[in-house]
Amino acid sequence: MVWEAIKTRHVGAERVKEARLQTLMSDFDRLKMKETEKIDDFGGKISEIASKSAALGVSIKEPKLVKKILTSLPRKKYIHIVASLEQVLDLNNTSFEDIIGRLKAYEERIQEEEEEPQDNQTTLMYSNNENQATQSNRDYNYRGRGRGGRSYYRGQGRGRYNGARDA
């Protein structure tokens, strides 16, 4: 009778463990990185699920973790690095930490690139406005000089030709 109670308790605990494991694995499968999320934070979520799973007796193999992170990244932002890593590395023999490190380096680089164009855009707009102002001043300065306008381009006007004429 005592053995039956222990056995029943163990079976119940085993079912709870299985249910928790099922929940973890479905969370793992549904996990996707948000556009605004950082690599560190997303990698932490994957690591947390892997740790909880290992505590329940089922370890998620490293290649599965690596493939999960690469397929869960926002495609628009990370497609270039994912394609490169898939081509260059043997994903079955690459550590999860290595992939996280490479992705963090890429994230920092694209963050710098996203900040730079705004500075260039501002400079371009300033430069463009400056050119327009210079052009309108030039137009103003050369108006009203006879029928041809812009005497700067046409000489002094009629009958004043200083060069030698072909006779």
Side-chain angles (χ1 to χ4, degrees):
M1 192 158 211
V2 174
W3 288 111
E4 283 299 316
I6 293 172
K7 186 177 176 184
T8 304
R9 192 177 287 165
H10 180 67
V11 168
E14 197 63 34
R15 286 192 181 138
V16 169
K17 184 172 122 179
E18 284 296 320
R20 285 184 183 156
L21 200 54
Q22 285 293 330
T23 303
L24 272 178
M25 294 326 268
S26 67
D27 288 349
F28 182 79
D29 291 340
R30 277 183 283 151
L31 196 60
K32 288 274 185 200
M33 185 172 154
K34 297 178 183 109
E35 284 285 334
T36 56
E37 200 168 5
K38 297 282 183 200
I39 292 291
D40 258 346
D41 298 334
F42 186 66
K45 288 180 183 179
I46 291 176
S47 293
E48 183 181 351
I49 290 174
S51 295
K52 287 180 180 178
S53 176
L56 293 171
V58 177
S59 65
I60 302 173
K61 303 277 186 236
E62 197 124 9
K64 187 173 182 177
L65 295 175
V66 167
K67 288 173 184 162
K68 177 62 182 175
I69 195 160
L70 292 178
T71 57
S72 300
L73 297 171
R75 187 169 173 78
K76 217 173 172 182
K77 192 173 182 180
Y78 291 95
I79 186 67
H80 301 297
I81 187 69
V82 169
S84 297
L85 292 173
E86 287 174 342
Q87 300 241 335
V88 172
L89 300 175
D90 177 6
L91 297 181
N92 291 321
N93 295 316
T94 302
S95 74
F96 181 69
E97 294 303 318
D98 182 35
I99 291 293
I100 293 291
R102 291 171 189 262
L103 290 171
K104 281 170 56 175
Y106 180 78
E107 180 181 62
E108 288 173 12
R109 170 137 324 151
I110 60 173
Q111 191 171 4
E112 289 170 6
E113 292 293 323
E114 287 171 351
E115 291 169 0
E116 241 177 62
Q118 292 173 348
D119 296 339
N120 290 342
Q121 198 72 355
T122 305
T123 304
L124 183 62
M125 286 173 54
Y126 175 75
S127 174
N128 195 15
N129 286 340
E130 197 174 86
N131 286 342
Q132 286 177 349
T134 304
Q135 181 65 38
S136 57
N137 283 344
R138 194 179 304 135
D139 289 347
Y140 178 77
N141 289 338
Y142 298 126
R143 260 193 209 122
R145 295 286 212 139
R147 281 187 353 193
R150 297 186 189 197
S151 63
Y152 173 78
Y153 294 113
R154 303 193 95 188
Q156 295 294 319
R158 214 181 245 205
R160 291 193 166 188
Y161 186 76
N162 294 335
R165 282 206 142 122
D166 292 339

